[in-house]
Amino acid sequence: MNQKEWTIMIYLAGDNNLSVDMAHAMEQIKGIAGEEANGTNLFVYYDGNSDSIPTLYCDFSDSSNPKHVRSFKVPNKLYRVDQKRNENAADYRSVLNFVDWCLNKVEVGTGDNIKRGRRADRYGLIFSGHSLGFEDPGLFRDETSGKTMTMADLFLLIDRLTRNKEQLAETVHGMDLENEKDHRFDSDPDAARRRSTVLIGQPLDILGFDSCVMGMLEVGYQFKNAAKTMIASEGSVPSAGWTYAKILGSLARDFTPLDDNDVAERFVSRFIKSQDSFTVGGVSVDMAAWDMNKLDALNTEFERLSDTLIECFADPGSRIYRHMERAVLQVHWKCQSYMYDQNVDLGDFCELLQAECISLAKDLGRDEEPILQKVEQACDAVLRELKNAVILGGFSGGRYQYSNGIALFFPWSYVTYKASEKYYKRLEFVGKGAGRSWSSFLNTYLGKVTLRPFEDPEVVIQQRSVAAPAGTEVTAYSMPATKHRYLSFQYNEDERSLGLG
């Protein structure tokens, strides 16, 4: 049996309100197999929220013999998990066990010709479920267990999937270290087998996120060494998710060898075209495919832009500080935004900022021109590398019409930033280079430039005498609560007491 060119694995984390839509998506994928998946192995993991339907492993690679296997009945799983009918899809071990089944354990063939696993030359892994970008509380929410996956676990599991035999032998992987801290598995006799088992063993050719707002620079950077291309949306994805029949149909039936970029372009173009008929209902979508090898160059230029913006706000008494405060506010206000205005499109932000700097330079003259020109050039460099990094981007509907393929975290208030900071600073992106510079800019801009500092009131106590009944004299005081308003203590004649007036 010849090895197929592609193995596509689709992980449907639907133990939530997406359950019915994901069941429909699974039937779409099964239908593709019915039309002969000549060049592609197709697998689906389905975890719904019905007590009567267990978590399923599905192999739709062979149209004559599609398989639906109950997860809790799969023997000898690579990672030990609780054997429940309704599995926790937010557990990283559920992903690893599913991929192990696809590539190493599923029975292929009949009789004496049975072999195990469906390997290929190229691999695609698509995650479908809820998400809030880099913020852990929204990632692949599983309502039965009440759990979500952390971005750190998502990074570690994809790293684990893509390690080859030599890399697995070099170090003990983080997943194993975390697993061994779990008291339930302290005496796991299969630890050595788990550590040495090769799963995908090479970078993913396609890493896809059929989930909201995962098309962020901060998210993609996590996987730049584990995937060749990434497909995601900056904004919201409809509950129905990707149109798998149209996206995967031509790939499944195509014998012609396709490189990663060609396949990624097909995903984007077919999805966007399939959504055009829904624009009349007010539905807007976006999607982009990234060349992950180009992210380092983009990050280098974005770091330069972030550092230059910090430089603009170095001196609160300068003219450039005051003018850039207004310019950045204007850009932020106009910019294409996502996730309740907490994220912005990187390309749109740079285009608008560049235009503002050109306008300011004309108005202010030569004194401030060097720093403005520096910002303008930095924006231009980011836009150039952004075009290199985005293989193809598109939108349908008016709400996302200024999307350029990659989003960026840029909230409106310091309070919002601080609320997300613990998740943000866990990202590899924020620990170095561009992310560290952008995080510093957010702290400066949101915490100092746009947030008025607290000022202590001028405490001035004024003493005066007031007459009380029966000739009793009472001393009263008045003091300002702020520089502009006073609180005073006054005598209440009816109650014969001092009160706050």
Side-chain angles (χ1 to χ4, degrees), residues 53 90 110 119 127 134 145 168 174 226 235 283 291 379 409 413 444-445 452 462 471 490:
I53 304 298
T110 58
R119 291 195 169 269
F127 291 93
F134 64 85
S145 66
L168 288 171
V283 176
D291 184 340
C379 287
F409 182 51
S413 71
T444 298
Y445 180 72
R452 288 193 295 177
Q462 298 177 343
Q490 298 179 352

Side-chain angles (χ1 to χ4, degrees), residues 6 125-127 205-211 214-215 227-234 237 242 247 260-269 271 286-292 391-392 405:
W6 281 91
L125 178 59
I126 298 168
F127 291 93
D205 292 273
I206 290 177
L207 172 62
F209 291 107
D210 180 8
S211 304
M214 290 293 275
K228 296 178 182 178
T229 61
M230 187 176 107
I231 302 171
S233 297
E234 298 177 80
V237 175
W242 289 2
I247 290 174
D260 303 331
N261 287 6
D262 289 334
V263 174
E265 285 184 5
R266 287 192 182 194
F267 271 67
V268 174
S269 61
F271 176 68
D286 74 283
M287 180 189 276
W290 305 3
D291 184 340
M292 303 295 270
I391 300 166
L392 181 65

Side-chain angles (χ1 to χ4, degrees), residues 11-16 45-48 55 81 86-96 127-131 136-155 157 175 178:
Y11 192 84
L12 303 178
D15 191 348
N16 44 60
Y45 173 100
Y46 175 75
D47 181 48
T55 302
V81 294
N86 193 324
E87 198 167 76
N88 176 12
D91 189 331
Y92 67 83
R93 290 171 292 207
S94 298
V95 183
L96 295 171
F127 291 93
S128 181
H130 285 299
S131 74
D136 295 345
L139 190 59
F140 309 147
R141 186 176 75 242
D142 186 277
E143 291 186 354
T144 298
S145 66
K147 302 291 185 181
T148 62
M149 187 179 291
T150 67
M151 185 57 67
D153 278 354
L154 182 60
F155 166 74
L157 79 86
M175 283 295 176
E178 183 174 344

Side-chain angles (χ1 to χ4, degrees), residues 464-478 487-501:
R464 61 190 177 87
S465 298
V466 295
T472 303
E473 190 173 271
V474 178
T475 301
Y477 299 91
S478 66
L487 295 176
S488 62
F489 292 98
Q490 298 179 352
Y491 180 78
N492 187 315
E493 186 172 353
D494 294 333
E495 298 181 3
R496 298 193 177 185
S497 62
L498 289 175
L500 185 62

Side-chain angles (χ1 to χ4, degrees), residues 317-333:
S318 66
R319 276 209 311 170
I320 196 63
Y321 182 104
R322 296 193 301 275
H323 285 290
M324 284 301 291
E325 178 183 3
R326 289 190 285 270
V328 174
L329 178 63
Q330 174 80 352
V331 168
H332 196 183
W333 185 260

Side-chain angles (χ1 to χ4, degrees), residues 6-7 9 99 103 122-127 157-159 161-163 200-209 223-230 260 292:
W6 281 91
T7 289
M9 296 164 284
V99 173
L103 305 185
R122 302 171 186 268
Y123 294 95
L125 178 59
I126 298 168
F127 291 93
L157 79 86
I158 292 177
D159 182 51
L161 289 173
T162 56
R163 287 187 175 225
I200 295 172
Q202 64 189 53
L204 285 161
D205 292 273
I206 290 177
L207 172 62
F209 291 107
F223 312 114
K224 67 185 181 68
N225 295 322
K228 296 178 182 178
T229 61
M230 187 176 107
D260 303 331
M292 303 295 270

